[in-house]
Amino acid sequence: GQNIDQPTEMTATEGAIVQINCTYQTSGFNGLFWYQQHAGEAPTFLSYNVLDGLEEKGRFSSFLSRSKGYSYLLLKELQMKDSASYLCAVRDGLTGANNLFFGTGTRLTVIP
Amino acid sequence: GAVVSQHPSRVICKSGTSVKIECRSLDFQATTMFWYRQFPKQSLMLMATSNEGSKATYEQGVEKDKFLINHASLTLSTLTVTSAHPEDSSFYICSASVGGDQRPQHFGDGTRLSIL
């Protein structure tokens, strides 16, 4: 089975940096994804990690440590529009070639 | 980039009605599509994996006779919620993958289903 944990809510200030953590336990790890979801909308893809290390994409970076079952999403220069839920998802290679299992999501509120 | 279209975006209907939701991949062929359900303030729960030309694979606890999935072509999968009841009210989202381990799933815009 899969067990994915991330904080329920976080608050940060506009212009600051915020780190959203995700820990996971899965029987057949085959990649970790981060998605952004605004209320009432579908998720949009942010980042993908399958090897250990940091992946940087503009204001967003994602880190993975497979040995620790740990990832984080780093958001820099926060903007008000970054207020959204951030979903950590793990692909389990044993249950299907591309099945994703999602954490409960972290609701980020950016304040002025 | 890859685009997934989902229709309708919102449905309001009476209890006992069957509702069909369509998911189309617009600029790529998707041999596999996924159906998720999301209740308010909760995360996405995978309901089933839809495979073109074969039966869908359902997750544990999802009734296959209630949630009928048809993946008749490489660009279309449909989810039919049969005899819907108020507890079926939820946000239903489909996704598809272009294929290959590096590719993320691309999501449709979702269908908000409200059963009265």
Side-chain angles (χ1 to χ4, degrees):
Chain A
Q2 301 80 26
N3 187 24
I4 304 167
D5 291 316
Q6 50 183 131
T8 304
E9 294 186 4
M10 297 184 70
T11 301
T13 305
E14 188 177 15
I17 300 172
V18 69
Q19 177 175 313
I20 302 174
N21 296 324
C22 173
T23 58
Y24 64 88
Q25 292 177 311
T26 183
S27 50
F29 178 80
N30 192 23
L32 186 143
F33 296 78
W34 283 95
Y35 285 84
Q36 180 191 62
Q37 186 179 29
H38 285 98
E41 299 180 9
T44 55
F45 169 74
L46 290 179
S47 69
Y48 168 73
N49 296 73
V50 67
L51 300 177
D52 291 349
L54 188 68
E55 294 285 339
E56 297 185 81
K57 187 185 295 185
R59 294 191 299 116
F60 296 81
S61 302
S62 57
F63 172 83
L64 174 67
S65 170
R66 290 173 294 171
S67 61
K68 296 181 180 179
Y70 168 69
S71 173
Y72 68 72
L73 178 69
L74 194 71
L75 291 78
K76 303 176 183 176
E77 302 171 13
L78 278 174
Q79 302 175 7
M80 299 300 291
K81 66 178 182 179
D82 296 329
S83 293
S85 288
Y86 291 85
L87 309 178
C88 172
V90 173
R91 184 161 61 197
D92 190 327
L94 293 184
T95 59
N98 207 14
N99 287 10
L100 289 184
F101 295 91
F102 286 82
T104 55
T106 299
R107 185 171 305 191
L108 174 66
T109 301
V110 180
I111 58 176
Chain B
V3 178
V4 176
S5 173
Q6 188 172 339
H7 178 81
S9 59
R10 184 171 181 88
V11 179
I12 302 174
C13 57
K14 295 181 180 179
S15 183
T17 307
S18 292
V19 178
K20 178 185 285 189
I21 303 170
E22 293 186 349
C23 180
R24 296 181 183 271
S25 56
L26 297 184
D27 56 359
F28 65 98
Q29 294 183 331
T31 55
T32 304
M33 292 185 176
F34 303 88
W35 288 97
Y36 295 86
R37 180 168 52 183
Q38 185 176 35
F39 291 105
K41 298 186 178 181
Q42 296 185 22
S43 192
L44 283 74
M45 296 298 296
L46 180 65
M47 299 176 66
T49 303
S50 171
N51 302 296
E52 188 269 336
S54 64
K55 292 182 179 180
T57 303
Y58 290 82
E59 293 300 304
Q60 190 173 8
V62 179
E63 299 176 56
K64 62 180 181 180
D65 294 331
K66 180 169 184 62
F67 299 99
L68 301 179
I69 292 174
N70 187 320
H71 194 158
S73 76
L74 287 172
T75 59
L76 173 64
S77 175
T78 61
L79 169 67
T80 301
V81 184
T82 62
S83 187
H85 293 283
E87 58 266 28
D88 298 322
S89 298
S90 186
F91 191 48
Y92 292 86
I93 310 175
C94 72
S95 74
S97 176
V98 176
D101 285 345
Q102 297 288 334
R103 304 285 187 171
Q105 289 184 15
H106 297 276
F107 287 85
D109 288 335
T111 298
R112 187 160 302 283
L113 176 63
S114 300
I115 307 299
L116 305 177

